[in-house]
Amino acid sequence: MNALPSSSGHDGILAAGLSVRGLSRNFGGVYAVRGVTLDCAVGEIVGLIGPNGAGKSTLMNLISGTITPSEGQVWLDGSAFAAPSAVDCAERGIGRTFQNIRLFKRLSVRENIRVAAITRARVKGGAVDGAAVEDIIAFAGLSALADRPAGTLSYGHQRRVEIARALALGPRILLLDEPAAGMNEQETEGLIATVRGLRDRFGCGVVVIDHDLGFIMQVSQRLYVMHLGQILVQGDPETVRHDPRVAEIYLGRKK
């Protein structure tokens, strides 16, 4: 049974995890995201789905500091971010991957992951934990490929490198933008175990966007459905699956 996240303080802000309150972003008077409220507790896997153009990736960019919100706030562990930058978010514990893979392709797998570990060590004021880097590499199933240039790997393995690099930041919350994109069925099955492992072994909360509904229904404990920049439906996967509003926006007809 999946318990709802526990809150602390005003407006249900989570004491341990991510809280988004009234987040909006407009471009030239057109809202890409409008008034979004969302929670992901540490140790929870939350899915974010919706048709193309719903505002999912824009919301990820707002949460991770890649773009600045027009309105609203992002909270982590009960503390609000004031106009956070991507660096602020990463240093305070929000890691992410991207829909379009952004690796240092000429660097080896290990070097890609060490870059993130160096950033974490600088913020924490210590040295790079080499054993922790190797542990993350092994967890991601990349030990045999650790010395290969990242750009020479298969698409599925590059996705794993990107997840491992984000994990090396030691995030409290990890945002995964289309992690199953371009993967075959076998790779997607392996990814389900990997995402669950992120939660179970490393204790972070995970927010996942994906168009593969089978994948996201299996891996998520709770789901948010976006449509036209707003949250349309939220709930456990079965509740969302049977909501007629979800069928309507995906299929163009009422269920």
Side-chain angles (χ1 to χ4, degrees), residues 81-100:
F81 283 45
S85 68
V87 173
D88 293 333
C89 290
E91 290 182 347
R92 290 181 64 175
I94 297 178
R96 72 165 298 177
T97 66
F98 293 86
Q99 187 173 354
N100 299 313

Side-chain angles (χ1 to χ4, degrees), residues 42-119:
V42 169
E44 183 181 30
I45 302 173
V46 169
L48 180 64
I49 63 174
N52 289 333
K56 303 183 299 298
S57 289
T58 300
L59 179 59
M60 283 281 205
N61 289 335
L62 290 167
I63 293 171
S64 64
T66 305
I67 58 177
T68 303
S70 304
E71 303 167 20
Q73 285 186 309
V74 176
W75 300 66
L76 185 66
D77 294 342
S79 297
F81 283 45
S85 68
V87 173
D88 293 333
C89 290
E91 290 182 347
R92 290 181 64 175
I94 297 178
R96 72 165 298 177
T97 66
F98 293 86
Q99 187 173 354
N100 299 313
I101 295 173
R102 301 184 185 182
L103 296 176
F104 302 112
K105 294 191 176 182
R106 295 186 179 182
L107 298 184
S108 70
V109 169
R110 181 178 287 108
E111 288 168 337
N112 266 272
I113 296 166
R114 281 186 65 85
V115 166
I118 289 168
T119 300

Side-chain angles (χ1 to χ4, degrees), residues 160-182:
R160 286 183 170 273
V161 175
E162 196 173 41
I163 291 171
R165 187 177 62 182
L167 188 59
L169 288 168
R172 296 281 285 165
I173 297 292
L174 184 56
L175 312 176
L176 303 180
D177 195 349
E178 300 280 358

Side-chain angles (χ1 to χ4, degrees), residues 174-248:
L174 184 56
L175 312 176
L176 303 180
D177 195 349
E178 300 280 358
M183 289 190 173
N184 59 38
E185 186 176 345
Q186 184 177 4
E187 289 171 331
T188 300
E189 285 295 322
L191 182 62
I192 291 171
T194 297
V195 174
R196 288 173 177 164
L198 295 172
R199 173 198 61 193
D200 297 341
R201 184 169 175 181
F202 296 96
C204 56
V206 185
V207 180
V208 188
I209 291 177
D210 215 276
H211 282 95
D212 185 333
L213 294 183
F215 161 70
I216 209 160
M217 288 285 180
Q218 287 186 69
V219 79
S220 302
Q221 294 166 268
R222 291 190 303 115
L223 285 170
Y224 289 85
V225 183
M226 285 192 76
H227 183 52
L228 301 177
Q230 298 178 295
I231 300 297
L232 178 68
V233 179
Q234 61 175 297
D236 63 80
E238 281 304 303
T239 298
V240 169
R241 187 194 305 272
H242 293 103
D243 192 300
R245 292 170 293 177
V246 176
E248 186 174 2

